[in-house]
Amino acid sequence: MNNFSVTTPLPQTDTTVDISIDPALQNLCRQYGALAVASTRDELFIAVPDKCGQQLDVALRFACGKQITRQVWSSAQLEDALNNLHGKTYDAELTLAAQKHKKATEPDAHYTLDTHQDEPVVNFINQTLEVATQRRASDIHFEPFANSYRIRLRIDGVLQEISSPPPSLAARMTARLKIISSLDIAERRQPQDGQLALELSNRTHAMRISTLPTLHGEKIVLRVQENDKSTLSLQDLGLTAEQYQCYTHALQQPQGMILVTGPTGSGKTLTLYSGLKQLNSTQRNICSAEDPIEMPLKGINQTQTNIKIGLTFSTILRAMLRQDPDIIMIGEIRDAETAEIAIKAAQTGHLVLSTLHTNSACEALNRLEQMGIAPYLLASSLKLVIAQRLVRRLCSHCKQFVPESNRVKPTSWMHELKAWKAIGCEHCFSGYYGRVGLYELLSVTPEIQQAVLDGVNLHQLQTLAEQQGVVSLFHSGLKLVDQGITSLEEVYRVLGLNS
């Protein structure tokens, strides 16, 4: 049977993909971030990103013996086409598998590796994970309900629903995900955590898995771990020139503490890793305690916590301090014991980098005091606090200027704000594509040190920080709005403010 079908060449704005194209050709295209979209007897049409070398054309000509015609698609178009192809290819196969499968209400007594290699479910999960990585998803949610099964991807901080299997296959989906993660498939009453690594589109992707028993089965969330070392550059973080200088100056200090604060998913770890990469050299002994190790870094001694055997942050830190470290990175300060050890390490000739969950830079000082750290220890050891968030970027193709929307207080922005609106087009998702960082850097100056020693409250500390020239997260967001990088609505959404 001929694997190619006659299809009219597609315009660039169309994301339709001919599903009868040979899967081997499709897989070859995906290795280069491209898609085979249509085929005739003598010609194969492929959709490619802006920057795609000629190696793919050579490989395809050798594989199919046809002329290769390129169409340049935006990243968003390619991601959308991948999602559509994923749904069309496997929906029918999964429906047939569900019809053959026993009713979801019957107990599953055959949770074994051999009986859960059913090809439709395996293919569907593999394709879902591939689509998730292609679409830059940070988290993948598998959610069972009474009469449905939902799969959602968190892309640019927002959940988006994609094609899902019939609910009668929920147990098999759960079993397969547990098997590839080496979790206990017989345990369904207790939450489980683990890790997995998969080869997708010729790249290895590391993920964290978490299971949670719910009313209608086990919900599973996979977190895609960032493992692209090429992105670990301070210049790529989105810091302003002043903020970049402030961060690099703190990194050059022989001792002290640098804290990065913000909620989960705000890019704190990437900011720390970028700093570690800048510091990494053969002359320095750099050690880290992490939960988990999100990115293996060459030349850095990384240790992962293991609560089951008592290997906590504090245990690792005590052992680490006997290993003659120059620089210590702590994944997160979660308790008073870890905070105390970290502060002492910062006072005894070590540069300590860590994260803390607070809403602003000034709140980090209050949180450490609440953990029992004496003000004089904070004042002498803390060098820099970075608060950060991630906001979605406006699509450059469809964003629209809104001249009349100056909806901020005069005290926040002194001149007319050049606001922009997200519209949505074939190049983006709802008017946005990608994310950029908002940063608030509090350098602990002698004035800030004295305020900490005097025990001033949070409001007074924030007022002093403003007088010292600290740019707040909100003001950082307004700068991006004025530059047309993001929208005012997005800044309000991320910071939890009322417009």
Side-chain angles (χ1 to χ4, degrees):
M1 180 179 176
N2 189 355
N3 282 321
F4 306 97
S5 62
V6 178
T7 308
T8 305
L10 304 174
Q12 289 189 11
T13 56
D14 193 348
T15 55
T16 305
V17 180
D18 181 2
I19 65 172
S20 64
I21 292 175
D22 188 345
L25 293 178
Q26 202 64 271
N27 289 335
L28 180 59
C29 287
R30 287 178 188 167
Q31 292 177 19
Y32 293 84
L35 271 177
V37 294
S39 177
T40 67
R41 181 176 179 179
D42 303 312
E43 198 170 4
L44 180 67
F45 297 87
I46 62 172
V48 297
D50 246 344
K51 297 178 181 179
C52 185
Q54 298 299 318
Q55 301 95 328
L56 174 59
D57 297 32
V58 175
L60 287 173
R61 276 197 296 269
F62 179 80
C64 67
K66 297 185 179 186
Q67 177 185 334
I68 308 302
T69 300
R70 288 183 165 212
Q71 298 174 349
V72 177
W73 284 8
S74 69
S75 298
Q77 283 178 289
L78 285 167
E79 291 173 14
D80 188 48
L82 272 170
N83 193 37
N84 290 334
L85 178 65
H86 150 72
K88 291 177 181 176
T89 306
Y90 293 102
D91 278 355
E93 191 176 9
L94 277 166
T95 301
L96 181 62
Q99 291 171 352
K100 294 180 179 179
H101 185 50
K102 60 190 172 181
K103 293 180 181 179
T105 53
E106 295 178 11
D108 273 310
H110 304 290
Y111 259 65
T112 66
L113 183 62
D114 294 334
T115 57
H116 284 279
Q117 291 292 344
D118 42 316
E119 189 175 353
V121 170
V122 171
N123 288 341
F124 184 86
I125 288 177
N126 289 344
Q127 190 69 7
T128 297
L129 299 183
E130 185 170 339
V131 168
T133 55
Q134 292 276 3
R135 297 188 67 180
R136 305 168 292 109
S138 60
D139 301 89
I140 311 162
H141 294 244
F142 298 85
E143 302 167 302
F145 296 98
N147 300 307
S148 63
Y149 191 87
R150 185 173 66 182
I151 299 178
R152 294 186 292 174
L153 308 180
R154 189 176 293 279
I155 302 171
D156 295 334
V158 179
L159 285 170
Q160 300 179 14
E161 190 170 355
I162 64 169
S163 184
S164 301
S168 58
L169 292 180
R172 292 192 177 193
M173 294 283 293
T174 300
R176 178 61 189 169
L177 289 167
K178 284 185 172 183
I179 286 168
I180 61 177
S181 309
S182 300
L183 298 183
D184 185 357
I185 58 176
E187 178 56 74
R188 306 176 215 173
R189 299 172 300 172
Q190 294 287 338
Q192 296 186 65
D193 296 289
Q195 292 181 305
L196 64 148
L198 293 174
E199 189 80 18
L200 301 169
S201 299
N202 214 27
R203 285 185 59 193
T204 300
H205 294 270
M207 302 182 187
R208 289 161 57 187
I209 183 172
S210 172
T211 72
L212 180 68
T214 64
L215 182 61
H216 301 290
E218 291 177 272
K219 176 183 176 180
I220 293 180
V221 176
L222 299 179
R223 165 153 289 192
V224 182
Q225 296 177 252
E226 177 60 63
N227 56 7
D228 187 357
K229 301 177 184 62
S230 64
T231 62
L232 295 180
S233 170
L234 288 181
Q235 291 85 351
D236 296 333
L237 290 178
L239 297 164
T240 65
E242 294 81 5
Q243 291 171 339
Y244 174 81
Q245 185 178 3
C246 184
Y247 190 19
T248 52
H249 176 73
L251 289 171
Q252 292 165 3
Q253 301 305 307
Q255 66 184 53
M257 176 181 282
I258 299 173
L259 281 178
V260 183
T261 76
T264 300
S266 60
K268 300 188 299 297
T269 303
L270 188 61
T271 300
L272 284 186
Y273 275 133
S274 299
L276 287 181
K277 184 180 180 182
Q278 175 125 333
L279 294 169
N280 195 7
S281 71
T282 55
Q283 286 79 37
R284 294 189 177 102
N285 176 21
I286 304 178
C287 302
S288 75
E290 304 175 54
D291 181 26
I293 296 172
E294 297 194 23
M295 194 183 303
L297 296 177
K298 184 178 180 181
I300 295 178
N301 305 287
Q302 296 171 273
T303 305
Q304 182 165 312
T305 63
N306 188 336
I307 304 300
K308 294 180 181 178
I309 62 172
L311 195 61
T312 61
F313 278 119
S314 55
T315 304
I316 295 171
L317 287 174
R318 287 193 182 92
M320 197 179 286
L321 288 171
R322 295 191 288 268
Q323 294 277 312
D324 186 33
D326 297 300
I327 299 165
I328 296 172
M329 195 273 267
I330 306 168
E332 182 183 347
I333 294 179
R334 297 176 179 173
D335 52 53
E337 188 177 14
T338 303
E340 185 180 351
I341 298 172
I343 289 290
K344 288 181 178 178
Q347 285 191 308
T348 54
H350 308 90
L351 182 63
V352 179
L353 291 80
S354 188
T355 69
L356 193 67
H357 285 289
T358 61
N359 292 324
S360 68
C362 290
E363 287 181 57
L365 282 74
N366 276 13
R367 179 66 55 84
L368 288 173
E369 286 188 26
Q370 291 167 2
M371 286 183 174
I373 304 301
Y376 75 92
L377 292 176
L378 271 182
S380 61
S381 58
L382 201 57
K383 302 300 180 185
L384 176 67
V385 183
I386 304 174
Q388 69 178 76
R389 300 290 190 279
L390 293 175
V391 295
R392 291 179 293 172
R393 287 180 178 270
L394 283 168
C395 172
S396 59
H397 295 89
C398 66
K399 66 181 181 181
Q400 190 176 92
F401 180 60
V402 188
E404 72 281 358
S405 62
N406 195 352
R407 290 169 288 159
V408 296
K409 296 178 181 178
T411 53
S412 299
W413 195 255
M414 302 306 293
H415 56 83
E416 184 180 357
L417 184 67
K418 299 174 183 176
W420 301 79
K421 183 180 180 182
I423 302 298
C425 67
E426 70 273 9
H427 297 278
C428 64
F429 299 105
S430 303
Y432 299 96
Y433 189 86
R435 289 195 287 180
V436 64
L438 301 182
Y439 298 95
E440 174 185 320
L441 274 72
L442 175 66
S443 182
V444 183
T445 61
E447 292 79 9
I448 297 291
Q449 287 179 329
Q450 188 59 51
V452 172
L453 290 171
D454 292 341
V456 301
N457 60 37
L458 179 60
H459 177 71
Q460 292 171 319
L461 192 59
Q462 288 173 334
T463 302
L464 178 60
E466 290 175 8
Q467 294 170 354
Q468 296 280 308
V470 174
V471 178
S472 68
L473 287 171
F474 182 55
H475 200 267
S476 295
L478 293 182
K479 284 186 176 181
L480 296 184
V481 172
D482 197 55
Q483 295 167 16
I485 296 174
T486 191
S487 68
L488 191 58
E489 289 78 11
E490 177 67 4
V491 173
Y492 282 132
R493 182 189 70 84
V494 170
L495 296 182
L497 304 173
N498 295 321
S499 58

